[in-house]
């Protein structure tokens, strides 16, 4: 997707005005946080921003990021920018930055010493292009988890699994008890996300990076990745009766004991908290599917489109400051289920699952994820392939892997 078409038309309208009066301002913030847990978390940002005398104007877009991002991009490139907008860490806003449509935050980042506060450093690097900083990382979200319903396994008369292999082995008992073994929303990003979580868990970060970072077609077509597609086939069979669309609906199946488990990022924790469930008692979390306890330091960041309104420019800077304040980092991330980007905040109130994530982070067992390593175009090809694979039982794991390797060979 290229935006050069709009450059000339927008050159005058997006010039950044450096003057910044101290008046209070309404600031529209777009994001895709609409589930119960997400709404509770984003309310913490709104509360902290409103406390400055400004006003958070919520621009939530229902659906996933795949639904929201084209709307956000269209508004920015079409000359109707919001005050601030969510993207994931990585390359999703790369072309918007290259087209000069996003505000440079380098001066603020330097003044507030973000480089000393933000941990790990890759989070700020993902906001940096040509030496300039264009976004505020607000959390560390990791995809590499499976969430298990203790009730579902008790009803099935089998122990709660400690890893993916035990989970697969327990599937017949879950089905016999009337449970759906694996809750999985019928959306492409969830299905391709499940594949990638399986890959990181089964073959480990080194092979994962050979595929997605080095774009090694031979590895993608090889025996190690064949194991991953075999596991994806198991997941497809276990999720065949998971008749929901949205990720939080799948999480609800686990919360209600209708499903044994869900492969989903740690944002699922917010839903368990809203439901009043307790980690370790009502549900179990397995980082790295219990096979390979690493986490990818992806997550969410906020970008600020260039505007020619000095009041909005000042409010943008205030919001960037507020989002990284210690108090806001704690309040937001405790409800979001994510980890803070600051390494100097007090998280004694963290639940057992968040503590597992913090321990993994402290041990340095982190890895890059696809948002950082492949372009949105390649991501869409992956999504399309996995959507077809999960909905078409006649596509064999071997056929899917062959097509996957072809995508990797041409990936950018």
């Amino acid at each position: 997707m290229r935006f050069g078409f709009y450059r000339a038309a927008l050159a005058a309208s997006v010039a950044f005005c450096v003057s910044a009066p101290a008046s209070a301002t309404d600031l529209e913030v777009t994001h895709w946080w609409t589930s119960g847990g997400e709404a509770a978390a984003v309310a913490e940002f709104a509360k902290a921003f409103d406390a400055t005398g400004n006003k958070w104007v919520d621009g939530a877009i229902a659906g996933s990021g795949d639904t929201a991002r084209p709307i956000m991009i269209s508004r920015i490139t079409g000359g109707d920018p919001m005050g601030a907008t969510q993207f994931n860490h990585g390359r999703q806003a790369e072309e918007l930055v290259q087209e000069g449509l996003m505000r440079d935050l380098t001066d603020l980042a330097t003044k507030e010493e973000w480089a000393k506060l933000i941990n790990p450093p890759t989070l700020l690097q993902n906001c940096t292009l040509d030496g300039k900083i264009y976004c505020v990382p607000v959390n560390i979200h990791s995809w590499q988890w499976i969430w298990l319903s203790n009730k579902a396994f008790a009803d099935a008369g089998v122990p709660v699994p400690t890893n993916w292999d035990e989970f697969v082995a327990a599937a017949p008992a879950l089905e016999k008890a009337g449970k759906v073994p694996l809750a999985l929303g019928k959306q492409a990003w969830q299905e391709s996300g499940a594949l990638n979580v399986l890959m990181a868990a089964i073959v480990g970060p080194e092979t994962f990076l050979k595929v997605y970072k080095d774009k090694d077609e031979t590895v993608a077509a090889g025996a190690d990745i064949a194991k991953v597609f075999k596991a994806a086939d198991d997941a497809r069979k276990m999720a065949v009766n998971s008749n929901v669309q949205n990720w939080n609906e799948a999480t609800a199946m686990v919360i209600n004991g209708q499903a044994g488990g869900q492969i989903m990022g740690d944002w699922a924790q917010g839903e368990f908290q809203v439901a009043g469930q307790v980690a370790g008692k009502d549900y179990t979390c397995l980082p790295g599917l219990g096979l390979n306890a690493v986490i990818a330091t992806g997550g969410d960041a906020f970008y600020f489109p260039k505007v020619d309104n000095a009041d909005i420019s000042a409010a943008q800077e205030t919001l960037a400051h507020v989002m990284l304040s210690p108090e806001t980092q704690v309040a937001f991330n405790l409800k979001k289920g994510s980890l803070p980007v600051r390494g100097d905040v007090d998280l004694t109130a963290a639940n057992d699952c968040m503590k597992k994530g913090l321990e993994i982070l402290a041990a340095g067992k982190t890895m890059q994820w696809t948002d950082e390593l492949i372009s949105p175009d390649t991501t869409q090809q992956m999504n399309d392939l996995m959507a077809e694979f999960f909905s078409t039982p006649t596509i064999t794991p071997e056929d899917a892997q062959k097509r996957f390797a072809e995508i990797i060979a041409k990936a950018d």
Side-chain angles (χ1 to χ4, degrees), residues 273-296:
Q273 291 183 60
V274 167
Q277 296 214 335
V278 177
K281 176 184 175 184
D282 301 304
Y283 66 98
T284 296
C285 56
L286 300 178
L289 307 187
L291 299 174
N292 210 322
V294 297
I295 61 173

Side-chain angles (χ1 to χ4, degrees), residues 64-144:
S64 67
D66 288 347
T67 301
R69 279 188 293 271
I71 297 171
M72 296 165 174
I73 291 170
S74 178
R75 283 191 54 184
I76 295 166
T77 58
D80 180 30
M82 62 295 290
T85 189
Q86 172 193 10
F87 285 104
N88 294 123
H89 300 163
R91 298 178 60 183
Q92 291 176 356
E94 184 176 78
E95 292 183 356
L96 293 171
V97 171
Q98 291 170 340
E99 291 297 318
L101 299 177
M102 291 301 195
R103 179 175 175 175
D104 178 1
L105 301 173
T106 306
D107 288 346
L108 178 64
T110 301
K111 181 175 71 173
E112 298 192 346
E113 298 186 316
W114 291 1
K116 293 182 179 179
L117 298 174
I118 294 173
N119 180 55
T122 53
L123 299 175
L124 198 56
Q125 291 168 12
N126 288 337
C127 286
T128 304
L129 188 67
D130 297 330
K132 296 181 179 181
I133 296 169
Y134 290 94
C135 67
V136 181
V138 297
N139 61 13
I140 301 169
H141 261 319
S142 54
W143 248 106
Q144 300 75 28

Side-chain angles (χ1 to χ4, degrees), residues 235-390:
R236 175 170 64 174
K237 294 170 182 173
M238 294 165 69
V240 68
N241 292 317
S242 178
N243 297 315
V244 295
Q245 289 290 118
N246 298 311
W247 71 268
N248 54 306
E249 293 172 324
T251 308
M253 293 176 66
V254 179
I255 291 171
N256 296 331
Q258 298 171 271
Q262 177 191 23
I263 296 173
M264 186 50 58
D266 55 8
W267 48 90
Q269 286 196 81
E271 303 304 299
F272 287 101
Q273 291 183 60
V274 167
Q277 296 214 335
V278 177
K281 176 184 175 184
D282 301 304
Y283 66 98
T284 296
C285 56
L286 300 178
L289 307 187
L291 299 174
N292 210 322
V294 297
I295 61 173
T297 51
D300 301 292
F302 278 82
Y303 289 76
F304 300 85
K306 285 185 179 179
V307 295
D308 61 357
N309 182 302
D311 290 344
I312 292 178
S313 295
Q316 288 176 331
E317 188 164 313
T318 298
L319 179 58
H321 167 78
V322 164
M323 285 178 159
L324 278 179
S325 71
E327 299 82 7
T328 310
Q329 277 284 297
V330 171
F332 171 78
N333 284 292
L334 284 177
K335 290 189 176 177
K336 190 69 168 63
S338 47
L339 304 179
V341 300
R342 295 183 62 132
D344 61 347
V345 295
D346 181 7
L347 281 175
T348 53
N351 67 27
D352 287 349
C353 293
M354 186 179 288
K355 287 177 181 176
K356 288 182 181 180
L358 289 168
E359 289 169 2
I360 295 168
L361 182 64
K365 296 180 179 179
T366 63
M367 61 182 291
Q368 290 177 290
W369 201 240
T370 55
D371 290 334
E372 304 170 64
L373 301 172
I374 57 177
S375 70
D377 288 342
T378 300
T379 298
Q380 187 59 54
Q381 293 175 53
M382 275 287 305
N383 288 351
D384 291 344
L385 171 60
M386 295 317 297
E388 187 178 356
F389 176 75
F390 273 88

